[in-house]
Amino acid sequence: MNIEMIRAAYVRGKGHVRRTPLLSSPFLDEIAGRRVFLKAECLQHTGSFKFRGGWSALSAMNPEQRAKGVIAFSSGNHAQGVALAARMHGTSSVIIMPADAPRVKIENTKALGAEVVLYDRGSEDRDVIGDKLSRERGLTLVKPFDEPLVIAGQGTCGLEIAEQAVEEGIVDADVITCCGGGGLTSGIAMALEADQPGFNVRPAEPEGFDDVARSLRAGAIQRNDAMTGSICDAIITPQPGDLTFPIMKRLCGDGIVVSEHDCLRAMALAFERLRVVIEPGGAVALASALFHGDQLSADTVIVTASGGNVDKPVFERALATLE
């Protein structure tokens, strides 16, 4: 991984990947006790930053290889990103998704033309299912985070943050990222190392699934004990990636861990004050800025709103926190 790969992904994405806005609200600033800027990746194609990595991987693929089709594992956002990128490249996609993924993500992935294979993440191994299908059909695996081209694609979000920080006159900031396997976090950290080296990148995770925070403290990869049981499904992974963790260990500050209730409150406030819809896993960074300011040092914080694909009942739960 290097910054040149991220810059190349940025060039390949022009005209295809959206430059998402950097939003702010004085009401959120007051709650946080500092300036808060929200990088609205919930407004990216397919409703999450994952389209960046999907497009990067498929656009760099050998055309003959790409024509045979691709396969991916995902609880929903990577699924949709790869499915749309595959459709835009005129090829097929097979997506292996947990049966308990939000219904909106499963249906949207199907609507984008993907063949969806559901599995029980508590009793079945998605790698075994994927290996079998890949061999049988000659499909190319697009990993959700531990793949250089995917990390490069996610890193284009960091290049945009660097550009937008200059436009906003931001010279010093904590940058909080919603973190699962670390693709977005490591990509953004590498981009900012090059273009805004004074910024401090901090991964954010939900309670009970804080493998990155624990890994950073231990200096070695730690696993989560569970793989289910959180509304933050978009960022639930077994452990940091073999490629992403060394990057995060070198470039990131300590992880921040938030409660599900904090995530729901952050979702509600983002809707009330910015009129954007964020899913629980996409709200952990904003929750960190709003409710865990004692762990931050800069007067300005930039947070990623990494996705907005939320089912109606969960969003209603979030809005109820304002009552």
Side-chain angles (χ1 to χ4, degrees):
M1 279 303 307
N2 54 60
I3 187 62
E4 286 73 24
M5 291 181 65
I6 298 175
R7 298 200 195 285
Y10 183 79
V11 171
R12 293 197 307 277
K14 284 187 175 180
H16 306 286
V17 176
R18 287 177 180 157
R19 186 182 193 260
T20 55
L22 199 64
L23 307 176
S24 63
S25 160
F27 300 102
L28 297 183
D29 294 351
E30 184 176 358
I31 294 170
R34 52 175 47 84
R35 290 199 303 169
V36 176
F37 290 87
L38 183 141
K39 179 63 170 168
E41 284 296 291
C42 50
L43 302 179
Q44 186 55 257
H45 293 300
T46 71
S48 96
F49 75 95
K50 289 288 191 176
F51 178 73
R52 294 178 183 271
W55 179 267
S56 173
L58 269 84
S59 62
M61 204 174 286
N62 178 289
E64 293 181 358
Q65 177 188 18
R66 186 171 59 217
K68 295 178 181 178
V70 297
I71 188 169
F73 314 128
S74 173
S75 67
N77 287 336
H78 181 60
Q80 294 174 79
V82 170
L84 179 58
R87 189 176 76 175
M88 292 169 69
H89 280 94
T91 193
S92 61
S93 61
V94 176
I95 311 294
I96 302 171
M97 302 182 68
D100 62 348
R103 185 56 45 186
V104 66
K105 294 182 179 182
I106 294 174
E107 295 305 321
N108 285 352
T109 303
K110 291 178 179 178
L112 289 168
E115 175 188 344
V116 174
V117 177
L118 299 177
Y119 76 101
D120 183 336
R121 59 173 137 194
S123 62
E124 294 182 288
D125 188 335
R126 68 183 188 180
D127 292 314
V128 173
I129 299 170
D131 287 344
K132 183 175 184 292
L133 289 172
S134 297
R135 290 195 306 271
E136 290 175 352
R137 305 190 192 183
L139 305 173
T140 299
L141 173 64
V142 181
K143 295 181 181 180
F145 54 84
D146 223 21
E147 156 59 47
L149 289 169
V150 170
I151 296 171
Q154 319 308 23
T156 63
C157 181
L159 296 181
E160 291 179 14
I161 289 173
E163 294 172 352
Q164 291 166 317
V166 173
E167 294 166 5
E168 295 286 348
I170 303 169
V171 296
D172 179 42
D174 284 321
V175 178
I176 310 177
T177 61
C178 304
C179 190
L184 178 65
T185 302
S186 59
I188 287 177
M190 291 186 67
L192 294 180
E193 177 190 32
D195 288 5
Q196 286 284 3
F199 286 11
N200 183 31
V201 178
R202 304 282 300 279
E205 298 169 288
E207 289 179 345
F209 300 88
D210 58 343
D211 49 295
V212 171
R214 289 185 288 108
S215 297
L216 290 173
R217 286 198 304 269
I221 290 177
Q222 307 291 304
R223 287 183 63 87
N224 286 321
D225 293 329
M227 277 302 298
T228 59
S230 173
I231 60 173
C232 300
D233 64 283
I235 56 173
I236 300 305
T237 54
Q239 63 185 51
D242 292 332
L243 295 180
T244 61
F245 179 66
I247 299 170
M248 293 189 288
K249 181 180 177 182
R250 181 172 67 86
L251 296 177
C252 293
D254 293 341
I256 303 172
V257 183
V258 303
S259 69
E260 288 190 356
H261 183 66
D262 284 347
C263 292
L264 292 170
R265 290 167 64 202
M267 291 167 63
L269 289 166
F271 180 72
E272 182 181 54
R273 298 305 183 184
L274 297 173
R275 291 298 183 235
V276 294
V277 174
I278 311 176
E279 64 190 277
V284 293
L286 179 59
S288 300
L290 295 180
F291 311 125
H292 296 267
D294 59 324
Q295 298 183 48
L296 305 174
S297 57
D299 292 333
T300 299
V301 60
I302 300 171
V303 303
T304 61
S306 58
N309 295 307
V310 57
D311 282 342
K312 180 181 176 182
V314 175
F315 194 63
E316 289 175 341
R317 280 180 61 191
L319 295 181
T321 64
L322 296 178
E323 297 175 357

PDB file of all heavy atoms in Angstrom, residues 48-80:
ATOM      1  N   SER A  48     -23.151   4.395   0.960  1.00  0.00           N
ATOM      2  CA  SER A  48     -21.998   4.220   1.851  1.00  0.00           C
ATOM      3  C   SER A  48     -20.693   4.376   1.093  1.00  0.00           C
ATOM      4  O   SER A  48     -20.645   4.279  -0.134  1.00  0.00           O
ATOM      5  CB  SER A  48     -22.032   2.853   2.555  1.00  0.00           C
ATOM      6  OG  SER A  48     -21.255   1.896   1.879  1.00  0.00           O
ATOM      7  N   PHE A  49     -19.620   4.563   1.866  1.00  0.00           N
ATOM      8  CA  PHE A  49     -18.279   4.717   1.299  1.00  0.00           C
ATOM      9  C   PHE A  49     -17.821   3.479   0.541  1.00  0.00           C
ATOM     10  O   PHE A  49     -16.869   3.535  -0.232  1.00  0.00           O
ATOM     11  CB  PHE A  49     -17.270   5.018   2.410  1.00  0.00           C
ATOM     12  CG  PHE A  49     -16.902   3.824   3.247  1.00  0.00           C
ATOM     13  CD1 PHE A  49     -15.774   3.069   2.972  1.00  0.00           C
ATOM     14  CD2 PHE A  49     -17.705   3.423   4.316  1.00  0.00           C
ATOM     15  CE1 PHE A  49     -15.445   1.947   3.725  1.00  0.00           C
ATOM     16  CE2 PHE A  49     -17.377   2.316   5.074  1.00  0.00           C
ATOM     17  CZ  PHE A  49     -16.253   1.575   4.784  1.00  0.00           C
ATOM     18  N   LYS A  50     -18.482   2.347   0.752  1.00  0.00           N
ATOM     19  CA  LYS A  50     -18.013   1.081   0.182  1.00  0.00           C
ATOM     20  C   LYS A  50     -17.989   1.086  -1.345  1.00  0.00           C
ATOM     21  O   LYS A  50     -17.253   0.301  -1.960  1.00  0.00           O
ATOM     22  CB  LYS A  50     -18.887  -0.067   0.674  1.00  0.00           C
ATOM     23  CG  LYS A  50     -18.697  -0.412   2.150  1.00  0.00           C
ATOM     24  CD  LYS A  50     -17.362  -1.094   2.390  1.00  0.00           C
ATOM     25  CE  LYS A  50     -17.292  -1.685   3.793  1.00  0.00           C
ATOM     26  NZ  LYS A  50     -16.046  -2.435   4.022  1.00  0.00           N
ATOM     27  N   PHE A  51     -18.777   1.962  -1.958  1.00  0.00           N
ATOM     28  CA  PHE A  51     -18.723   2.039  -3.421  1.00  0.00           C
ATOM     29  C   PHE A  51     -17.336   2.452  -3.887  1.00  0.00           C
ATOM     30  O   PHE A  51     -16.878   2.030  -4.962  1.00  0.00           O
ATOM     31  CB  PHE A  51     -19.757   3.025  -3.962  1.00  0.00           C
ATOM     32  CG  PHE A  51     -19.698   3.180  -5.456  1.00  0.00           C
ATOM     33  CD1 PHE A  51     -20.162   2.173  -6.293  1.00  0.00           C
ATOM     34  CD2 PHE A  51     -19.159   4.322  -6.031  1.00  0.00           C
ATOM     35  CE1 PHE A  51     -20.083   2.304  -7.682  1.00  0.00           C
ATOM     36  CE2 PHE A  51     -19.081   4.467  -7.409  1.00  0.00           C
ATOM     37  CZ  PHE A  51     -19.545   3.456  -8.245  1.00  0.00           C
ATOM     38  N   ARG A  52     -16.644   3.267  -3.105  1.00  0.00           N
ATOM     39  CA  ARG A  52     -15.295   3.700  -3.486  1.00  0.00           C
ATOM     40  C   ARG A  52     -14.375   2.492  -3.686  1.00  0.00           C
ATOM     41  O   ARG A  52     -13.681   2.386  -4.699  1.00  0.00           O
ATOM     42  CB  ARG A  52     -14.706   4.614  -2.404  1.00  0.00           C
ATOM     43  CG  ARG A  52     -15.410   5.939  -2.215  1.00  0.00           C
ATOM     44  CD  ARG A  52     -14.766   6.739  -1.089  1.00  0.00           C
ATOM     45  NE  ARG A  52     -15.459   7.987  -0.817  1.00  0.00           N
ATOM     46  CZ  ARG A  52     -15.205   9.151  -1.423  1.00  0.00           C
ATOM     47  NH1 ARG A  52     -14.245   9.220  -2.333  1.00  0.00           N
ATOM     48  NH2 ARG A  52     -15.870  10.234  -1.108  1.00  0.00           N
ATOM     49  N   GLY A  53     -14.361   1.595  -2.691  1.00  0.00           N
ATOM     50  CA  GLY A  53     -13.502   0.422  -2.786  1.00  0.00           C
ATOM     51  C   GLY A  53     -13.935  -0.539  -3.868  1.00  0.00           C
ATOM     52  O   GLY A  53     -13.097  -1.127  -4.564  1.00  0.00           O
ATOM     53  N   GLY A  54     -15.248  -0.711  -4.010  1.00  0.00           N
ATOM     54  CA  GLY A  54     -15.750  -1.589  -5.059  1.00  0.00           C
ATOM     55  C   GLY A  54     -15.371  -1.092  -6.444  1.00  0.00           C
ATOM     56  O   GLY A  54     -14.904  -1.865  -7.289  1.00  0.00           O
ATOM     57  N   TRP A  55     -15.547   0.209  -6.656  1.00  0.00           N
ATOM     58  CA  TRP A  55     -15.194   0.774  -7.968  1.00  0.00           C
ATOM     59  C   TRP A  55     -13.686   0.674  -8.209  1.00  0.00           C
ATOM     60  O   TRP A  55     -13.244   0.331  -9.303  1.00  0.00           O
ATOM     61  CB  TRP A  55     -15.639   2.230  -8.086  1.00  0.00           C
ATOM     62  CG  TRP A  55     -15.260   2.806  -9.420  1.00  0.00           C
ATOM     63  CD1 TRP A  55     -14.128   3.488  -9.738  1.00  0.00           C
ATOM     64  CD2 TRP A  55     -15.994   2.660 -10.634  1.00  0.00           C
ATOM     65  NE1 TRP A  55     -14.107   3.789 -11.073  1.00  0.00           N
ATOM     66  CE2 TRP A  55     -15.242   3.297 -11.647  1.00  0.00           C
ATOM     67  CE3 TRP A  55     -17.215   2.070 -10.956  1.00  0.00           C
ATOM     68  CZ2 TRP A  55     -15.687   3.354 -12.971  1.00  0.00           C
ATOM     69  CZ3 TRP A  55     -17.650   2.128 -12.277  1.00  0.00           C
ATOM     70  CH2 TRP A  55     -16.889   2.762 -13.270  1.00  0.00           C
ATOM     71  N   SER A  56     -12.905   0.976  -7.196  1.00  0.00           N
ATOM     72  CA  SER A  56     -11.450   0.918  -7.333  1.00  0.00           C
ATOM     73  C   SER A  56     -10.996  -0.478  -7.747  1.00  0.00           C
ATOM     74  O   SER A  56     -10.181  -0.633  -8.666  1.00  0.00           O
ATOM     75  CB  SER A  56     -10.788   1.311  -6.008  1.00  0.00           C
ATOM     76  OG  SER A  56      -9.389   1.122  -6.063  1.00  0.00           O
ATOM     77  N   ALA A  57     -11.530  -1.496  -7.071  1.00  0.00           N
ATOM     78  CA  ALA A  57     -11.103  -2.868  -7.360  1.00  0.00           C
ATOM     79  C   ALA A  57     -11.510  -3.306  -8.758  1.00  0.00           C
ATOM     80  O   ALA A  57     -10.701  -3.868  -9.509  1.00  0.00           O
ATOM     81  CB  ALA A  57     -11.689  -3.816  -6.319  1.00  0.00           C
ATOM     82  N   LEU A  58     -12.753  -3.056  -9.131  1.00  0.00           N
ATOM     83  CA  LEU A  58     -13.216  -3.526 -10.444  1.00  0.00           C
ATOM     84  C   LEU A  58     -12.619  -2.722 -11.584  1.00  0.00           C
ATOM     85  O   LEU A  58     -12.317  -3.276 -12.645  1.00  0.00           O
ATOM     86  CB  LEU A  58     -14.750  -3.502 -10.520  1.00  0.00           C
ATOM     87  CG  LEU A  58     -15.389  -4.816 -10.085  1.00  0.00           C
ATOM     88  CD1 LEU A  58     -15.542  -4.873  -8.572  1.00  0.00           C
ATOM     89  CD2 LEU A  58     -16.724  -5.048 -10.771  1.00  0.00           C
ATOM     90  N   SER A  59     -12.414  -1.425 -11.365  1.00  0.00           N
ATOM     91  CA  SER A  59     -11.866  -0.596 -12.446  1.00  0.00           C
ATOM     92  C   SER A  59     -10.405  -0.920 -12.732  1.00  0.00           C
ATOM     93  O   SER A  59      -9.903  -0.642 -13.829  1.00  0.00           O
ATOM     94  CB  SER A  59     -12.016   0.898 -12.112  1.00  0.00           C
ATOM     95  OG  SER A  59     -11.285   1.233 -10.941  1.00  0.00           O
ATOM     96  N   ALA A  60      -9.709  -1.510 -11.764  1.00  0.00           N
ATOM     97  CA  ALA A  60      -8.301  -1.877 -11.963  1.00  0.00           C
ATOM     98  C   ALA A  60      -8.133  -3.322 -12.413  1.00  0.00           C
ATOM     99  O   ALA A  60      -7.019  -3.745 -12.732  1.00  0.00           O
ATOM    100  CB  ALA A  60      -7.527  -1.662 -10.659  1.00  0.00           C
ATOM    101  N   MET A  61      -9.214  -4.067 -12.461  1.00  0.00           N
ATOM    102  CA  MET A  61      -9.158  -5.493 -12.773  1.00  0.00           C
ATOM    103  C   MET A  61      -8.908  -5.741 -14.256  1.00  0.00           C
ATOM    104  O   MET A  61      -9.353  -4.976 -15.122  1.00  0.00           O
ATOM    105  CB  MET A  61     -10.483  -6.148 -12.345  1.00  0.00           C
ATOM    106  CG  MET A  61     -10.435  -7.624 -12.061  1.00  0.00           C
ATOM    107  SD  MET A  61     -12.041  -8.197 -11.409  1.00  0.00           S
ATOM    108  CE  MET A  61     -11.984  -7.512  -9.745  1.00  0.00           C
ATOM    109  N   ASN A  62      -8.183  -6.818 -14.543  1.00  0.00           N
ATOM    110  CA  ASN A  62      -8.005  -7.237 -15.936  1.00  0.00           C
ATOM    111  C   ASN A  62      -9.375  -7.474 -16.564  1.00  0.00           C
ATOM    112  O   ASN A  62     -10.207  -8.179 -15.996  1.00  0.00           O
ATOM    113  CB  ASN A  62      -7.177  -8.529 -15.958  1.00  0.00           C
ATOM    114  CG  ASN A  62      -6.983  -9.076 -17.353  1.00  0.00           C
ATOM    115  OD1 ASN A  62      -7.919  -9.572 -17.959  1.00  0.00           O
ATOM    116  ND2 ASN A  62      -5.759  -9.006 -17.854  1.00  0.00           N
ATOM    117  N   PRO A  63      -9.660  -6.889 -17.748  1.00  0.00           N
ATOM    118  CA  PRO A  63     -10.987  -7.013 -18.355  1.00  0.00           C
ATOM    119  C   PRO A  63     -11.460  -8.455 -18.540  1.00  0.00           C
ATOM    120  O   PRO A  63     -12.643  -8.760 -18.340  1.00  0.00           O
ATOM    121  CB  PRO A  63     -10.831  -6.298 -19.697  1.00  0.00           C
ATOM    122  CG  PRO A  63      -9.736  -5.306 -19.465  1.00  0.00           C
ATOM    123  CD  PRO A  63      -8.783  -5.986 -18.538  1.00  0.00           C
ATOM    124  N   GLU A  64     -10.564  -9.342 -18.924  1.00  0.00           N
ATOM    125  CA  GLU A  64     -10.950 -10.737 -19.115  1.00  0.00           C
ATOM    126  C   GLU A  64     -11.323 -11.378 -17.785  1.00  0.00           C
ATOM    127  O   GLU A  64     -12.282 -12.156 -17.696  1.00  0.00           O
ATOM    128  CB  GLU A  64      -9.810 -11.514 -19.779  1.00  0.00           C
ATOM    129  CG  GLU A  64      -9.519 -11.084 -21.213  1.00  0.00           C
ATOM    130  CD  GLU A  64      -8.401 -11.895 -21.839  1.00  0.00           C
ATOM    131  OE1 GLU A  64      -7.828 -12.775 -21.142  1.00  0.00           O
ATOM    132  OE2 GLU A  64      -8.090 -11.650 -23.011  1.00  0.00           O
ATOM    133  N   GLN A  65     -10.561 -11.064 -16.755  1.00  0.00           N
ATOM    134  CA  GLN A  65     -10.863 -11.571 -15.423  1.00  0.00           C
ATOM    135  C   GLN A  65     -12.187 -11.006 -14.926  1.00  0.00           C
ATOM    136  O   GLN A  65     -13.036 -11.732 -14.383  1.00  0.00           O
ATOM    137  CB  GLN A  65      -9.723 -11.176 -14.472  1.00  0.00           C
ATOM    138  CG  GLN A  65      -9.918 -11.558 -13.018  1.00  0.00           C
ATOM    139  CD  GLN A  65      -8.848 -10.956 -12.119  1.00  0.00           C
ATOM    140  OE1 GLN A  65      -8.156 -10.004 -12.505  1.00  0.00           O
ATOM    141  NE2 GLN A  65      -8.717 -11.493 -10.919  1.00  0.00           N
ATOM    142  N   ARG A  66     -12.392  -9.707 -15.122  1.00  0.00           N
ATOM    143  CA  ARG A  66     -13.611  -9.044 -14.667  1.00  0.00           C
ATOM    144  C   ARG A  66     -14.852  -9.606 -15.360  1.00  0.00           C
ATOM    145  O   ARG A  66     -15.916  -9.735 -14.740  1.00  0.00           O
ATOM    146  CB  ARG A  66     -13.490  -7.546 -14.922  1.00  0.00           C
ATOM    147  CG  ARG A  66     -14.629  -6.714 -14.352  1.00  0.00           C
ATOM    148  CD  ARG A  66     -14.311  -5.237 -14.457  1.00  0.00           C
ATOM    149  NE  ARG A  66     -14.093  -4.833 -15.844  1.00  0.00           N
ATOM    150  CZ  ARG A  66     -13.188  -3.941 -16.225  1.00  0.00           C
ATOM    151  NH1 ARG A  66     -12.398  -3.363 -15.344  1.00  0.00           N
ATOM    152  NH2 ARG A  66     -13.067  -3.627 -17.503  1.00  0.00           N
ATOM    153  N   ALA A  67     -14.715  -9.972 -16.618  1.00  0.00           N
ATOM    154  CA  ALA A  67     -15.853 -10.470 -17.390  1.00  0.00           C
ATOM    155  C   ALA A  67     -16.402 -11.780 -16.837  1.00  0.00           C
ATOM    156  O   ALA A  67     -17.575 -12.114 -17.065  1.00  0.00           O
ATOM    157  CB  ALA A  67     -15.450 -10.642 -18.845  1.00  0.00           C
ATOM    158  N   LYS A  68     -15.588 -12.527 -16.098  1.00  0.00           N
ATOM    159  CA  LYS A  68     -16.046 -13.802 -15.531  1.00  0.00           C
ATOM    160  C   LYS A  68     -16.935 -13.598 -14.301  1.00  0.00           C
ATOM    161  O   LYS A  68     -17.587 -14.540 -13.843  1.00  0.00           O
ATOM    162  CB  LYS A  68     -14.841 -14.661 -15.145  1.00  0.00           C
ATOM    163  CG  LYS A  68     -13.990 -15.099 -16.345  1.00  0.00           C
ATOM    164  CD  LYS A  68     -12.787 -15.909 -15.875  1.00  0.00           C
ATOM    165  CE  LYS A  68     -11.912 -16.320 -17.057  1.00  0.00           C
ATOM    166  NZ  LYS A  68     -10.704 -17.071 -16.604  1.00  0.00           N
ATOM    167  N   GLY A  69     -16.926 -12.386 -13.770  1.00  0.00           N
ATOM    168  CA  GLY A  69     -17.752 -12.088 -12.612  1.00  0.00           C
ATOM    169  C   GLY A  69     -16.953 -11.993 -11.331  1.00  0.00           C
ATOM    170  O   GLY A  69     -15.813 -12.455 -11.253  1.00  0.00           O
ATOM    171  N   VAL A  70     -17.563 -11.393 -10.316  1.00  0.00           N
ATOM    172  CA  VAL A  70     -16.890 -11.195  -9.029  1.00  0.00           C
ATOM    173  C   VAL A  70     -17.764 -11.745  -7.911  1.00  0.00           C
ATOM    174  O   VAL A  70     -18.969 -11.945  -8.069  1.00  0.00           O
ATOM    175  CB  VAL A  70     -16.582  -9.707  -8.769  1.00  0.00           C
ATOM    176  CG1 VAL A  70     -15.611  -9.178  -9.810  1.00  0.00           C
ATOM    177  CG2 VAL A  70     -17.861  -8.878  -8.754  1.00  0.00           C
ATOM    178  N   ILE A  71     -17.130 -11.971  -6.765  1.00  0.00           N
ATOM    179  CA  ILE A  71     -17.830 -12.451  -5.574  1.00  0.00           C
ATOM    180  C   ILE A  71     -17.345 -11.650  -4.375  1.00  0.00           C
ATOM    181  O   ILE A  71     -16.188 -11.215  -4.335  1.00  0.00           O
ATOM    182  CB  ILE A  71     -17.593 -13.966  -5.366  1.00  0.00           C
ATOM    183  CG1 ILE A  71     -18.478 -14.511  -4.224  1.00  0.00           C
ATOM    184  CG2 ILE A  71     -16.128 -14.277  -5.113  1.00  0.00           C
ATOM    185  CD1 ILE A  71     -18.478 -16.033  -4.143  1.00  0.00           C
ATOM    186  N   ALA A  72     -18.239 -11.420  -3.414  1.00  0.00           N
ATOM    187  CA  ALA A  72     -17.867 -10.641  -2.234  1.00  0.00           C
ATOM    188  C   ALA A  72     -18.648 -11.132  -1.025  1.00  0.00           C
ATOM    189  O   ALA A  72     -19.728 -11.715  -1.157  1.00  0.00           O
ATOM    190  CB  ALA A  72     -18.146  -9.148  -2.460  1.00  0.00           C
ATOM    191  N   PHE A  73     -18.080 -10.888   0.180  1.00  0.00           N
ATOM    192  CA  PHE A  73     -18.750 -11.154   1.456  1.00  0.00           C
ATOM    193  C   PHE A  73     -19.153  -9.812   2.038  1.00  0.00           C
ATOM    194  O   PHE A  73     -18.346  -8.887   2.050  1.00  0.00           O
ATOM    195  CB  PHE A  73     -17.825 -11.850   2.450  1.00  0.00           C
ATOM    196  CG  PHE A  73     -17.042 -13.000   1.914  1.00  0.00           C
ATOM    197  CD1 PHE A  73     -15.667 -13.044   2.080  1.00  0.00           C
ATOM    198  CD2 PHE A  73     -17.672 -14.046   1.264  1.00  0.00           C
ATOM    199  CE1 PHE A  73     -14.936 -14.112   1.610  1.00  0.00           C
ATOM    200  CE2 PHE A  73     -16.944 -15.120   0.784  1.00  0.00           C
ATOM    201  CZ  PHE A  73     -15.563 -15.154   0.959  1.00  0.00           C
ATOM    202  N   SER A  74     -20.368  -9.725   2.591  1.00  0.00           N
ATOM    203  CA  SER A  74     -20.757  -8.439   3.149  1.00  0.00           C
ATOM    204  C   SER A  74     -22.056  -8.543   3.931  1.00  0.00           C
ATOM    205  O   SER A  74     -22.930  -9.341   3.591  1.00  0.00           O
ATOM    206  CB  SER A  74     -20.938  -7.415   2.023  1.00  0.00           C
ATOM    207  OG  SER A  74     -21.466  -6.203   2.506  1.00  0.00           O
ATOM    208  N   SER A  75     -22.183  -7.697   4.964  1.00  0.00           N
ATOM    209  CA  SER A  75     -23.466  -7.572   5.654  1.00  0.00           C
ATOM    210  C   SER A  75     -24.365  -6.579   4.940  1.00  0.00           C
ATOM    211  O   SER A  75     -25.509  -6.388   5.317  1.00  0.00           O
ATOM    212  CB  SER A  75     -23.257  -7.126   7.103  1.00  0.00           C
ATOM    213  OG  SER A  75     -22.742  -5.807   7.142  1.00  0.00           O
ATOM    214  N   GLY A  76     -23.848  -5.929   3.906  1.00  0.00           N
ATOM    215  CA  GLY A  76     -24.728  -5.075   3.121  1.00  0.00           C
ATOM    216  C   GLY A  76     -24.103  -3.925   2.363  1.00  0.00           C
ATOM    217  O   GLY A  76     -24.403  -3.706   1.195  1.00  0.00           O
ATOM    218  N   ASN A  77     -23.228  -3.143   2.986  1.00  0.00           N
ATOM    219  CA  ASN A  77     -22.703  -1.966   2.307  1.00  0.00           C
ATOM    220  C   ASN A  77     -21.651  -2.316   1.257  1.00  0.00           C
ATOM    221  O   ASN A  77     -21.680  -1.799   0.139  1.00  0.00           O
ATOM    222  CB  ASN A  77     -22.150  -0.975   3.333  1.00  0.00           C
ATOM    223  CG  ASN A  77     -23.253  -0.278   4.105  1.00  0.00           C
ATOM    224  OD1 ASN A  77     -24.382  -0.170   3.631  1.00  0.00           O
ATOM    225  ND2 ASN A  77     -22.950   0.194   5.303  1.00  0.00           N
ATOM    226  N   HIS A  78     -20.709  -3.183   1.599  1.00  0.00           N
ATOM    227  CA  HIS A  78     -19.747  -3.660   0.602  1.00  0.00           C
ATOM    228  C   HIS A  78     -20.488  -4.411  -0.501  1.00  0.00           C
ATOM    229  O   HIS A  78     -20.144  -4.303  -1.677  1.00  0.00           O
ATOM    230  CB  HIS A  78     -18.712  -4.556   1.272  1.00  0.00           C
ATOM    231  CG  HIS A  78     -17.654  -5.098   0.361  1.00  0.00           C
ATOM    232  ND1 HIS A  78     -16.792  -4.299  -0.360  1.00  0.00           N
ATOM    233  CD2 HIS A  78     -17.309  -6.391   0.053  1.00  0.00           C
ATOM    234  CE1 HIS A  78     -15.965  -5.060  -1.062  1.00  0.00           C
ATOM    235  NE2 HIS A  78     -16.266  -6.320  -0.840  1.00  0.00           N
ATOM    236  N   ALA A  79     -21.523  -5.155  -0.108  1.00  0.00           N
ATOM    237  CA  ALA A  79     -22.338  -5.890  -1.083  1.00  0.00           C
ATOM    238  C   ALA A  79     -22.888  -4.955  -2.146  1.00  0.00           C
ATOM    239  O   ALA A  79     -22.762  -5.202  -3.360  1.00  0.00           O
ATOM    240  CB  ALA A  79     -23.488  -6.596  -0.360  1.00  0.00           C
ATOM    241  N   GLN A  80     -23.502  -3.878  -1.703  1.00  0.00           N
ATOM    242  CA  GLN A  80     -24.114  -2.948  -2.644  1.00  0.00           C
ATOM    243  C   GLN A  80     -23.066  -2.215  -3.479  1.00  0.00           C
ATOM    244  O   GLN A  80     -23.262  -1.980  -4.675  1.00  0.00           O
ATOM    245  CB  GLN A  80     -24.977  -1.948  -1.880  1.00  0.00           C
ATOM    246  CG  GLN A  80     -26.178  -2.593  -1.216  1.00  0.00           C
ATOM    247  CD  GLN A  80     -26.940  -1.627  -0.336  1.00  0.00           C
ATOM    248  OE1 GLN A  80     -27.713  -0.802  -0.817  1.00  0.00           O
ATOM    249  NE2 GLN A  80     -26.705  -1.708   0.972  1.00  0.00           N
TER     250      GLN A  80
END
